[in-house]
């Protein structure tokens, strides 16, 4: 297999995936395929009900529709590649294909960080300033908020992808991952990556640190307001409007922090086990979290459950 051109730069990459664990590949192929179908179905239904049900034409459900569309885009940018790697022992991907996949995955992840903070602001205004909610969260406000989320995530991804793919890759071309994950690709560069590391650090602060702080402060004020509500029923009703979002935030950020915040093993045997664990955690972030989002919102939100029931009843009438 030719891996380099005349200038010595890599023209394609080989995705290692779980090739070192062939017994796991068939099991995970079926598991990931089923999860991907659930993601498409669950998030597709959420997008459909938020568009068709007039009761859900509010800022909160507009953001939820964006989140569902984002989850579909994110998984579609990586899951087909992952499934393919389970079927082919040495899955190769072109240099340009790797760049596109890296851009899409990074853009969706960064966009979700910003979008979740926008959703936290929506819940803050709804609970802490309900009388001003129609004014503050008007269509002229929440539409640009969504556009900013997508634009910011795409811009950050463009910068990181450009910095990564302009590096020379003149050595090993095997990516020890399922996809062209940016950190795994940077390990293959045969040049100084200090600029990439600094840039990634700044990006992490902007897209991870700041949104986490913003969401945390928002929920401090939300909880303080809820606790001041005199009736138990009122407190329960107020908390139910933001419990689904809070659950999604916890699942999303716990996974990211666990992926990138845990210490690396210095023992070779421990490193091999950790390498497998890192890959499986990456699958959890890439597949399980988008699958859980529609389930969480469906179980914890009466409006969504009612809209789904109405959609099912409508479909039955149409087919009869």
């Amino acid at each position: 297999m030719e891996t380099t051109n005349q200038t010595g730069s890599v023209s394609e990459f080989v995705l290692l995936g779980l090739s070192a664990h062939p017994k796991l590949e068939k099991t995970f192929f079926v598991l990931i395929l089923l999860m991907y179908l659930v993601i498409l179905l669950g998030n597709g239904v959420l997008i459909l009900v938020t568009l068709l049900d007039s009761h859900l034409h509010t800022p909160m459900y507009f953001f939820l529709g964006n989140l569902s569309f984002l989850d579909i885009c994110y998984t579609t940018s990586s899951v087909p590649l992952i499934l393919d790697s389970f079927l082919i022992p040495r899955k190769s991907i072109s240099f340009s294909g790797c760049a596109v996949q890296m851009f899409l995955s990074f853009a969706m992840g960064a966009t979700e960080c910003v979008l979740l903070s926008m959703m936290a602001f929506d819940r803050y205004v709804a609970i802490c300033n309900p009388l001003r909610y129609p004014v503050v969260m008007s269509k002229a406000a929440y539409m640009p908020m969504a556009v900013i989320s997508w634009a910011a995530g795409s811009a950050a991804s463009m910068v990181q992808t450009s910095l990564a793919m302009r590096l020379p890759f003149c050595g090993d071309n095997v990516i020890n991952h399922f996809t062209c994950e940016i950190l795994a690709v940077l390990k293959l560069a045969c040049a100084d990556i200090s600029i990439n590391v600094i840039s990634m650090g700044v990006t992490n602060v902007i897209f991870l640190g700041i949104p986490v702080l913003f969401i945390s402060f928002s929920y401090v004020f939300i909880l303080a307001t809820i606790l001041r509500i005199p009736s138990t029923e009122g407190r329960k009703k107020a908390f139910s409007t933001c419990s689904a979002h809070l659950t999604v935030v916890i699942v999303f950020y716990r996974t990211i922090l666990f992926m990138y915040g845990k210490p690396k093993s210095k023992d070779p045997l421990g490193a091999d086990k950790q390498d497998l664990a890192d890959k499986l955690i990456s699958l959890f972030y890439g597949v399980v979290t988008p699958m859980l989002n529609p389930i969480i919102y469906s179980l914890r939100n009466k409006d969504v459950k009612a809209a789904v029931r109405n959609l099912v009843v409508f479909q039955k009438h149409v087919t009869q």
Side-chain angles (χ1 to χ4, degrees):
M1 181 186 295
E2 182 182 354
T3 60
T4 60
N5 57 25
Q6 291 181 349
T7 62
S9 61
V10 169
S11 59
E12 65 179 15
F13 294 100
V14 175
L15 300 170
L16 194 59
L18 286 177
S19 58
H21 307 275
K23 293 182 179 179
L24 295 176
E25 288 186 316
K26 292 182 180 179
T27 302
F28 274 96
F29 176 84
V30 175
L31 188 61
I32 299 304
L33 178 60
L34 291 175
M35 288 181 174
Y36 182 51
L37 294 176
V38 172
I39 288 168
L40 295 179
L41 178 63
N43 286 287
V45 168
L46 268 183
I47 293 172
L48 199 59
V49 297
T50 55
L51 290 174
L52 298 179
D53 196 317
S54 58
H55 296 95
L56 302 183
H57 291 175
T58 63
M60 182 176 76
Y61 297 110
F62 172 76
F63 287 129
L64 178 57
N66 273 262
L67 182 64
S68 294
F69 180 68
L70 187 151
D71 284 338
I72 290 175
C73 291
Y74 176 78
T75 50
T76 302
S77 72
S78 58
V79 169
L81 197 62
I82 294 171
L83 293 175
D84 200 22
S85 71
F86 290 148
L87 299 177
I88 301 175
R90 285 177 65 85
K91 169 64 181 175
S92 62
I93 183 172
S94 66
F95 188 87
S96 58
C98 185
V100 170
Q101 196 276 321
M102 181 189 296
F103 168 78
L104 291 174
S105 295
F106 197 101
M108 296 304 105
T111 300
E112 184 159 357
C113 291
V114 181
L115 191 61
L116 287 174
S117 65
M118 297 293 188
M119 295 172 76
F121 178 74
D122 171 74
R123 293 299 82 207
Y124 163 77
V125 178
I127 293 175
C128 300
N129 296 282
L131 297 179
R132 290 180 51 81
Y133 184 77
V135 177
V136 176
M137 294 303 298
S138 64
K139 191 173 183 178
Y142 69 75
M143 290 285 285
M145 288 168 67
V147 172
I148 289 171
S149 300
W150 286 91
S154 299
S157 181
M158 181 63 73
V159 171
Q160 296 305 321
T161 303
S162 299
L163 288 174
M165 303 312 283
R166 67 195 292 266
L167 292 169
F169 299 93
C170 50
D172 190 5
N173 72 325
V174 179
I175 299 175
N176 190 16
H177 212 275
F178 299 105
T179 62
C180 290
E181 201 268 340
I182 190 166
L183 296 181
V185 173
L186 288 177
K187 291 179 181 178
L188 304 182
C190 52
D192 182 23
I193 61 170
S194 57
I195 293 178
N196 301 76
V197 173
I198 294 171
S199 179
M200 282 288 291
V202 173
T203 302
N204 287 340
V205 170
I206 295 173
F207 287 89
L208 288 176
I210 293 177
V212 166
L213 287 175
F214 185 84
I215 292 170
S216 300
F217 280 116
S218 297
Y219 273 99
V220 167
F221 288 110
I222 288 172
L223 290 175
T225 301
I226 290 175
L227 292 174
R228 287 199 298 267
I229 299 175
S231 66
T232 304
E233 187 65 28
R235 289 195 295 270
K236 186 183 296 184
K237 184 177 179 180
F239 185 74
S240 67
T241 64
C242 59
S243 59
H245 173 259
L246 184 60
T247 305
V248 168
V249 167
I250 291 172
V251 171
F252 179 75
Y253 280 106
R254 274 190 64 183
T255 308
I256 291 180
L257 291 174
F258 190 74
M259 282 173 64
Y260 297 110
K262 63 185 185 303
K264 301 295 181 182
S265 174
K266 295 181 179 179
D267 176 55
L269 295 176
D272 290 339
K273 292 180 180 178
Q274 182 175 305
D275 177 61
L276 176 61
D278 288 345
K279 292 179 180 179
L280 297 181
I281 292 168
S282 174
L283 275 182
F284 176 82
Y285 166 63
V287 181
V288 177
T289 304
M291 184 186 70
L292 288 178
N293 287 349
I295 296 173
I296 292 169
Y297 273 98
S298 298
L299 292 176
R300 292 179 172 270
N301 192 294
K302 293 180 181 179
D303 293 333
V304 172
K305 285 192 286 187
V308 172
R309 282 197 300 268
N310 292 336
L311 182 63
V312 171
V313 171
F314 176 76
Q315 288 284 65
K316 286 183 179 179
H317 283 302
V318 170
T319 54
Q320 286 178 353

